[in-house]
Amino acid sequence: MATPSLDSARAADAAIEKAPDLLPEALPGRRPSLVGLTRDALKAQLVGMGVPERESRMRAGQVWHWVNFRGASDFSEMTNVGKALKAQLAEHFTLERPEVASRQVSRDGTRKWLLRMAPTNRQEHNRGAEIECVYIPGPDRGTLCVSSQVGCTLTCSFCHTGTQRLVRNLSAAEIVQQLVTARDELGDWPGQMPSRDAGGAGEVGRLVTNIVFMGMGEPLYNLDAVVDAVGVMSDQEGLGLSRRRITVSTSGVVPQIPRLGEQANAMLAISLHAVRDDLRDELVPLNRKYPIAELLAACRAYPGLSNARRITFEYVMLKGVNDSDADARELVRLLKGIPAKINLIPFNPWPGSRYECSDWDRIERFSEIVFNAGYASPVRTPRGRDILAACGQLKSETEKLRARARMMQEEGIGVESFYAGADD
């Protein structure tokens, strides 16, 4: 029998983070997709199919090129692969992407896709978990916001996604498949160079230039998959993104921050939102495990930190909660010596939320104090607000809103925040 102290500890942990409902398992009769695999995993699949070890590297390189550089969706497109090998590949594998269950386009050009993953567990009953992925076009970049979990491990009190169950972690391949699907949807492969602007008037060129891990989930509680996914996305013989254009956002899983820098070499963003431990304990309950001082010490030691590789600190503006002049000055004091940018995020309440957005003049005053201390402090314009495509809004079909909440959203009473853009 559990002791009262052990029960209390478990209850405290449950208030901070959630355990996954499902764990992936091999499903008989399903051909795996080769899309999104690391080079090593792709080679291992080919060897397992019967490709001789001595030629596996070459064959894996051929398949890699077609999948990750050219965006092939069928083995028949691989013109430099022999017919016999193509037939063998088609017998054992697919090049399937997630199913696009729904598509929405905002008036500002932001696009949101509901993606249905392949089933990974008998409990999913041949209907895979669903996540949302968002593309935000801009004049000098196109940012794709990807998810790392179905639901979220954490329980941040101001975030709608945090109210959901944690269904499961996404695999590295499923994370990469979000980028591949976005390129399919946007026509963003070689030879396909449409305009970034939905109306056809914007700059012509590569559409997805930046990745932000700011969708569903806490990336550092799925770090193995995130590290592998960043490696695939940044491979210059494949998807070809710069690691300086890949930003991973965390609520502060301190023990994993050094490894993120060492192994992924990605840009770091911190969901800070408060300058006092007592308040951050409420807003971001993970703070009870890793308080502000420990978090900022990890930031100061982040591998590769420099003025050219600043840390982005995200700060949601909550009326009467964290938006005073004193809060702004304490924020400046806390971040002293850290090359940083501070993204101020206006908050709009979602159904059931107990918070309100700070008044605009209060946000401007807060930004002015931070800016005068020498930090960039942009207040980002909300994007995709008419299609519920903003931070904290993302949900999966595995976690339906109540009918009243859906009705409120349809009438425009929804979460309206936004994504912080990644640094170039």
Side-chain angles (χ1 to χ4, degrees):
M1 176 181 289
T3 65
S5 60
L6 183 56
D7 286 339
S8 299
R10 288 173 176 166
D13 284 346
I16 296 172
E17 55 198 45
K18 303 180 283 279
D21 288 350
L22 302 178
L23 296 175
E25 63 182 38
L27 294 179
R30 292 195 65 87
R31 290 178 297 156
S33 174
L34 299 182
V35 177
L37 297 183
T38 65
R39 283 183 180 271
D40 288 344
L42 176 57
K43 179 182 173 183
Q45 289 282 21
L46 298 189
V47 170
M49 182 188 72
V51 173
E53 180 70 36
R54 65 181 180 276
E55 63 179 80
S56 60
R57 181 177 179 181
M58 178 190 71
R59 297 304 183 193
Q62 289 175 319
V63 175
W64 176 274
H65 175 82
W66 282 101
V67 172
N68 293 310
F69 184 80
R70 294 185 177 272
S73 58
D74 192 281
F75 293 111
S76 64
E77 299 173 42
M78 301 181 178
T79 55
N80 62 342
V81 177
K83 289 184 179 179
L85 180 56
K86 284 191 285 192
Q88 195 178 8
L89 288 168
E91 180 183 354
H92 289 85
F93 307 112
T94 75
L95 296 179
E96 289 180 355
R97 287 85 153 118
E99 176 189 350
V100 181
S102 71
R103 300 170 174 86
Q104 291 178 276
V105 182
S106 167
R107 289 186 293 270
D108 62 26
T110 297
R111 296 169 182 260
K112 182 173 75 170
W113 300 290
L114 177 66
L115 304 182
R116 182 174 299 136
M117 300 298 177
T120 62
N121 190 291
R122 294 177 190 276
Q123 292 174 264
E124 292 180 326
H125 304 297
N126 293 318
R127 179 185 170 92
E130 294 174 346
I131 60 167
E132 289 183 333
C133 178
V134 175
Y135 172 70
I136 307 141
D140 61 347
R141 74 182 70 188
T143 301
L144 185 71
C145 180
V146 300
S147 296
S148 56
Q149 296 180 314
V150 184
C152 186
T153 302
L154 300 180
T155 57
C156 299
S157 62
F158 59 88
C159 179
H160 197 190
T161 309
T163 67
Q164 300 181 27
R165 297 179 301 144
L166 172 61
V167 179
R168 66 174 177 84
N169 285 334
L170 294 176
S171 69
E174 289 173 321
I175 296 171
V176 175
Q177 285 169 10
Q178 295 171 64
L179 171 56
V180 172
T181 301
R183 285 197 170 164
D184 289 345
E185 291 285 302
L186 297 168
D188 193 26
W189 295 106
Q192 304 171 323
M193 290 297 186
S195 166
R196 281 203 188 98
D197 184 81
E203 177 185 346
V204 173
R206 177 51 55 84
L207 300 188
V208 179
T209 62
N210 293 57
I211 299 288
V212 291
F213 282 76
M214 296 181 185
M216 296 169 62
E218 166 50 64
L220 299 198
Y221 275 126
N222 189 19
L223 186 55
D224 287 343
V226 168
V227 168
D228 284 346
V230 170
V232 176
M233 291 173 171
S234 62
D235 190 299
Q236 295 305 300
E237 295 179 4
L239 294 167
L241 291 171
S242 166
R243 290 180 189 253
R244 290 190 64 242
R245 289 177 175 261
I246 300 175
T247 300
V248 179
S249 177
T250 177
S251 292
V253 187
V254 168
Q256 298 285 48
I257 289 176
R259 186 177 158 217
L260 174 70
E262 292 163 0
Q263 297 185 11
N265 195 25
M267 304 295 285
L268 175 64
I270 300 292
S271 294
L272 189 60
H273 311 307
V275 295
R276 307 187 317 272
D277 280 324
D278 60 335
L279 178 57
R280 196 165 190 270
D281 286 351
E282 176 187 339
L283 298 178
V284 185
L286 182 65
N287 194 73
R288 300 171 197 166
K289 293 181 72 172
Y290 310 116
I292 292 172
E294 292 183 24
L295 174 57
L296 295 184
C299 290
R300 287 186 168 87
Y302 189 66
L305 180 63
S306 67
N307 287 329
R309 293 178 62 86
R310 298 176 296 174
I311 294 175
T312 298
F313 288 89
E314 298 156 321
Y315 197 95
V316 66
M317 301 298 295
L318 303 172
K319 184 175 184 178
V321 176
N322 65 351
D323 61 352
S324 70
D325 286 4
D327 289 317
R329 295 188 184 101
E330 179 63 9
L331 178 60
V332 168
R333 188 191 70 80
L334 287 173
L335 300 186
K336 185 176 181 180
I338 301 176
K341 178 178 73 174
I342 297 139
N343 278 331
L344 302 181
I345 306 175
F347 173 82
N348 282 306
W350 38 270
S353 167
R354 63 182 185 270
Y355 300 107
E356 299 178 48
C357 181
S358 303
D359 296 333
W360 189 252
D361 59 352
R362 177 97 300 269
I363 295 175
E364 288 186 327
R365 172 60 180 161
F366 195 103
S367 176
E368 180 183 15
I369 292 171
V370 174
F371 177 79
N372 288 341
Y375 292 96
S377 55
V379 181
R380 298 285 182 175
T381 303
R383 300 294 301 272
R385 59 196 309 174
D386 54 318
I387 59 170
L388 300 175
C391 263
Q393 292 179 282
L394 301 188
K395 63 183 181 68
S396 64
E397 286 297 299
T398 54
E399 188 69 22
K400 294 279 192 179
L401 294 178
R402 295 194 307 270
R404 177 169 175 76
R406 289 200 304 272
M407 179 186 70
M408 292 174 71
Q409 289 186 330
E410 288 166 1
E411 293 177 357
I413 313 172
V415 193
E416 294 169 354
S417 183
F418 57 86
Y419 299 107
D423 283 334
D424 287 334

